[in-house]
Amino acid sequence: MTPRLSNQMEKFYKFPDPPELAVQLRTYSVQRWPTMNHEWRKNKLASILRMKARRLASYWYAEESLSPRVDELEAILALLKLPEEVIERENLNELQALKERVARLEALLAQAGALDLGEQVDGGS
């Protein structure tokens, strides 16, 4: 093995094996989004990590054909090492945004009922 090739391989030693990384990804996503299904979690992780869904699936399932990229591995490990406080804060922010959307929908429905448009809304769908 040439010294140059050896140096290139050394940078991968600090990363977990693909099966271990897959377990870490799934564990993180279940803890982060406990009420969602795996398909949604994979899509959300792909969005956060700025990967295509198919590329993330290769990491998720630890596919043998996966050719890991250093920048992707670093991004995944950085995400997995987020402190619990950050994750909790992000979850609370997402919950608050959801509550606000529900409140807006309820206000729109109440307004439609007050204007006696309920029959038109029901008939239009």
Side-chain angles (χ1 to χ4, degrees), residues 102-115 117-118 121-122:
V102 168
R104 284 194 306 267
L105 286 172
E106 288 175 342
L108 286 172
L109 287 172
Q111 184 181 21
L115 296 174
L117 297 176
V121 172
D122 291 338

PDB file of all heavy atoms in Angstrom, residues 102-115 117-118 121-122:
ATOM      1  N   VAL A 102     -52.436  24.602  14.165  1.00  0.00           N
ATOM      2  CA  VAL A 102     -53.746  24.082  14.552  1.00  0.00           C
ATOM      3  C   VAL A 102     -54.657  25.225  14.985  1.00  0.00           C
ATOM      4  O   VAL A 102     -55.834  25.263  14.620  1.00  0.00           O
ATOM      5  CB  VAL A 102     -53.603  23.019  15.671  1.00  0.00           C
ATOM      6  CG1 VAL A 102     -54.941  22.683  16.286  1.00  0.00           C
ATOM      7  CG2 VAL A 102     -52.926  21.767  15.135  1.00  0.00           C
ATOM      8  N   ALA A 103     -54.116  26.173  15.735  1.00  0.00           N
ATOM      9  CA  ALA A 103     -54.921  27.319  16.180  1.00  0.00           C
ATOM     10  C   ALA A 103     -55.410  28.140  14.979  1.00  0.00           C
ATOM     11  O   ALA A 103     -56.566  28.579  14.955  1.00  0.00           O
ATOM     12  CB  ALA A 103     -54.100  28.191  17.124  1.00  0.00           C
ATOM     13  N   ARG A 104     -54.534  28.334  13.983  1.00  0.00           N
ATOM     14  CA  ARG A 104     -54.957  29.067  12.785  1.00  0.00           C
ATOM     15  C   ARG A 104     -56.055  28.316  12.043  1.00  0.00           C
ATOM     16  O   ARG A 104     -57.030  28.920  11.581  1.00  0.00           O
ATOM     17  CB  ARG A 104     -53.764  29.308  11.856  1.00  0.00           C
ATOM     18  CG  ARG A 104     -52.838  30.421  12.319  1.00  0.00           C
ATOM     19  CD  ARG A 104     -51.873  30.865  11.236  1.00  0.00           C
ATOM     20  NE  ARG A 104     -51.093  29.784  10.659  1.00  0.00           N
ATOM     21  CZ  ARG A 104     -49.877  29.411  11.081  1.00  0.00           C
ATOM     22  NH1 ARG A 104     -49.314  30.044  12.096  1.00  0.00           N
ATOM     23  NH2 ARG A 104     -49.234  28.427  10.489  1.00  0.00           N
ATOM     24  N   LEU A 105     -55.930  27.008  11.931  1.00  0.00           N
ATOM     25  CA  LEU A 105     -56.965  26.209  11.271  1.00  0.00           C
ATOM     26  C   LEU A 105     -58.284  26.270  12.035  1.00  0.00           C
ATOM     27  O   LEU A 105     -59.349  26.406  11.435  1.00  0.00           O
ATOM     28  CB  LEU A 105     -56.513  24.755  11.134  1.00  0.00           C
ATOM     29  CG  LEU A 105     -55.467  24.485  10.067  1.00  0.00           C
ATOM     30  CD1 LEU A 105     -54.968  23.040  10.173  1.00  0.00           C
ATOM     31  CD2 LEU A 105     -56.029  24.743   8.691  1.00  0.00           C
ATOM     32  N   GLU A 106     -58.198  26.176  13.359  1.00  0.00           N
ATOM     33  CA  GLU A 106     -59.417  26.266  14.164  1.00  0.00           C
ATOM     34  C   GLU A 106     -60.067  27.633  14.005  1.00  0.00           C
ATOM     35  O   GLU A 106     -61.303  27.738  13.930  1.00  0.00           O
ATOM     36  CB  GLU A 106     -59.105  25.987  15.632  1.00  0.00           C
ATOM     37  CG  GLU A 106     -58.790  24.534  15.904  1.00  0.00           C
ATOM     38  CD  GLU A 106     -58.358  24.274  17.342  1.00  0.00           C
ATOM     39  OE1 GLU A 106     -57.972  25.253  18.050  1.00  0.00           O
ATOM     40  OE2 GLU A 106     -58.395  23.106  17.749  1.00  0.00           O
ATOM     41  N   ALA A 107     -59.268  28.681  13.942  1.00  0.00           N
ATOM     42  CA  ALA A 107     -59.824  30.032  13.758  1.00  0.00           C
ATOM     43  C   ALA A 107     -60.503  30.150  12.394  1.00  0.00           C
ATOM     44  O   ALA A 107     -61.583  30.732  12.282  1.00  0.00           O
ATOM     45  CB  ALA A 107     -58.717  31.073  13.888  1.00  0.00           C
ATOM     46  N   LEU A 108     -59.890  29.588  11.374  1.00  0.00           N
ATOM     47  CA  LEU A 108     -60.498  29.620  10.040  1.00  0.00           C
ATOM     48  C   LEU A 108     -61.808  28.840  10.014  1.00  0.00           C
ATOM     49  O   LEU A 108     -62.786  29.278   9.408  1.00  0.00           O
ATOM     50  CB  LEU A 108     -59.531  29.060   8.997  1.00  0.00           C
ATOM     51  CG  LEU A 108     -58.360  29.957   8.627  1.00  0.00           C
ATOM     52  CD1 LEU A 108     -57.379  29.198   7.734  1.00  0.00           C
ATOM     53  CD2 LEU A 108     -58.845  31.215   7.937  1.00  0.00           C
ATOM     54  N   LEU A 109     -61.831  27.691  10.673  1.00  0.00           N
ATOM     55  CA  LEU A 109     -63.066  26.903  10.728  1.00  0.00           C
ATOM     56  C   LEU A 109     -64.145  27.629  11.516  1.00  0.00           C
ATOM     57  O   LEU A 109     -65.312  27.621  11.126  1.00  0.00           O
ATOM     58  CB  LEU A 109     -62.793  25.527  11.329  1.00  0.00           C
ATOM     59  CG  LEU A 109     -62.029  24.552  10.443  1.00  0.00           C
ATOM     60  CD1 LEU A 109     -61.661  23.292  11.217  1.00  0.00           C
ATOM     61  CD2 LEU A 109     -62.839  24.206   9.202  1.00  0.00           C
ATOM     62  N   ALA A 110     -63.768  28.271  12.611  1.00  0.00           N
ATOM     63  CA  ALA A 110     -64.740  29.030  13.400  1.00  0.00           C
ATOM     64  C   ALA A 110     -65.275  30.205  12.599  1.00  0.00           C
ATOM     65  O   ALA A 110     -66.474  30.502  12.634  1.00  0.00           O
ATOM     66  CB  ALA A 110     -64.084  29.513  14.694  1.00  0.00           C
ATOM     67  N   GLN A 111     -64.388  30.844  11.851  1.00  0.00           N
ATOM     68  CA  GLN A 111     -64.818  31.971  11.020  1.00  0.00           C
ATOM     69  C   GLN A 111     -65.765  31.481   9.923  1.00  0.00           C
ATOM     70  O   GLN A 111     -66.764  32.126   9.635  1.00  0.00           O
ATOM     71  CB  GLN A 111     -63.594  32.638  10.398  1.00  0.00           C
ATOM     72  CG  GLN A 111     -63.910  33.867   9.593  1.00  0.00           C
ATOM     73  CD  GLN A 111     -62.663  34.471   8.972  1.00  0.00           C
ATOM     74  OE1 GLN A 111     -61.654  33.787   8.813  1.00  0.00           O
ATOM     75  NE2 GLN A 111     -62.741  35.740   8.626  1.00  0.00           N
ATOM     76  N   ALA A 112     -65.467  30.343   9.339  1.00  0.00           N
ATOM     77  CA  ALA A 112     -66.346  29.794   8.302  1.00  0.00           C
ATOM     78  C   ALA A 112     -67.709  29.455   8.904  1.00  0.00           C
ATOM     79  O   ALA A 112     -68.746  29.686   8.279  1.00  0.00           O
ATOM     80  CB  ALA A 112     -65.725  28.559   7.671  1.00  0.00           C
ATOM     81  N   GLY A 113     -67.735  28.953  10.122  1.00  0.00           N
ATOM     82  CA  GLY A 113     -68.999  28.639  10.791  1.00  0.00           C
ATOM     83  C   GLY A 113     -69.768  29.888  11.140  1.00  0.00           C
ATOM     84  O   GLY A 113     -70.995  29.926  11.027  1.00  0.00           O
ATOM     85  N   ALA A 114     -69.064  30.937  11.538  1.00  0.00           N
ATOM     86  CA  ALA A 114     -69.716  32.196  11.899  1.00  0.00           C
ATOM     87  C   ALA A 114     -70.341  32.859  10.675  1.00  0.00           C
ATOM     88  O   ALA A 114     -71.362  33.525  10.774  1.00  0.00           O
ATOM     89  CB  ALA A 114     -68.711  33.144  12.553  1.00  0.00           C
ATOM     90  N   LEU A 115     -69.753  32.643   9.535  1.00  0.00           N
ATOM     91  CA  LEU A 115     -70.287  33.228   8.307  1.00  0.00           C
ATOM     92  C   LEU A 115     -71.309  32.310   7.653  1.00  0.00           C
ATOM     93  O   LEU A 115     -71.798  32.609   6.571  1.00  0.00           O
ATOM     94  CB  LEU A 115     -69.144  33.506   7.320  1.00  0.00           C
ATOM     95  CG  LEU A 115     -68.110  34.532   7.765  1.00  0.00           C
ATOM     96  CD1 LEU A 115     -66.977  34.597   6.751  1.00  0.00           C
ATOM     97  CD2 LEU A 115     -68.750  35.899   7.923  1.00  0.00           C
ATOM     98  N   LEU A 117     -70.823  29.452   6.327  1.00  0.00           N
ATOM     99  CA  LEU A 117     -70.270  28.893   5.092  1.00  0.00           C
ATOM    100  C   LEU A 117     -69.992  27.415   5.249  1.00  0.00           C
ATOM    101  O   LEU A 117     -69.406  26.811   4.374  1.00  0.00           O
ATOM    102  CB  LEU A 117     -68.975  29.621   4.707  1.00  0.00           C
ATOM    103  CG  LEU A 117     -69.091  31.106   4.391  1.00  0.00           C
ATOM    104  CD1 LEU A 117     -67.727  31.697   4.136  1.00  0.00           C
ATOM    105  CD2 LEU A 117     -69.989  31.329   3.211  1.00  0.00           C
ATOM    106  N   GLY A 118     -70.368  26.847   6.349  1.00  0.00           N
ATOM    107  CA  GLY A 118     -70.086  25.441   6.618  1.00  0.00           C
ATOM    108  C   GLY A 118     -70.616  24.515   5.530  1.00  0.00           C
ATOM    109  O   GLY A 118     -69.939  23.596   5.108  1.00  0.00           O
ATOM    110  N   VAL A 121     -68.434  24.877   2.452  1.00  0.00           N
ATOM    111  CA  VAL A 121     -67.135  24.242   2.652  1.00  0.00           C
ATOM    112  C   VAL A 121     -67.291  22.733   2.522  1.00  0.00           C
ATOM    113  O   VAL A 121     -66.511  22.068   1.858  1.00  0.00           O
ATOM    114  CB  VAL A 121     -66.526  24.610   4.019  1.00  0.00           C
ATOM    115  CG1 VAL A 121     -65.275  23.798   4.307  1.00  0.00           C
ATOM    116  CG2 VAL A 121     -66.208  26.106   4.059  1.00  0.00           C
ATOM    117  N   ASP A 122     -68.330  22.174   3.148  1.00  0.00           N
ATOM    118  CA  ASP A 122     -68.561  20.728   3.076  1.00  0.00           C
ATOM    119  C   ASP A 122     -68.881  20.291   1.654  1.00  0.00           C
ATOM    120  O   ASP A 122     -68.420  19.259   1.197  1.00  0.00           O
ATOM    121  CB  ASP A 122     -69.712  20.301   4.014  1.00  0.00           C
ATOM    122  CG  ASP A 122     -69.318  20.434   5.476  1.00  0.00           C
ATOM    123  OD1 ASP A 122     -68.111  20.433   5.764  1.00  0.00           O
ATOM    124  OD2 ASP A 122     -70.241  20.544   6.318  1.00  0.00           O
TER     125      ASP A 122
END
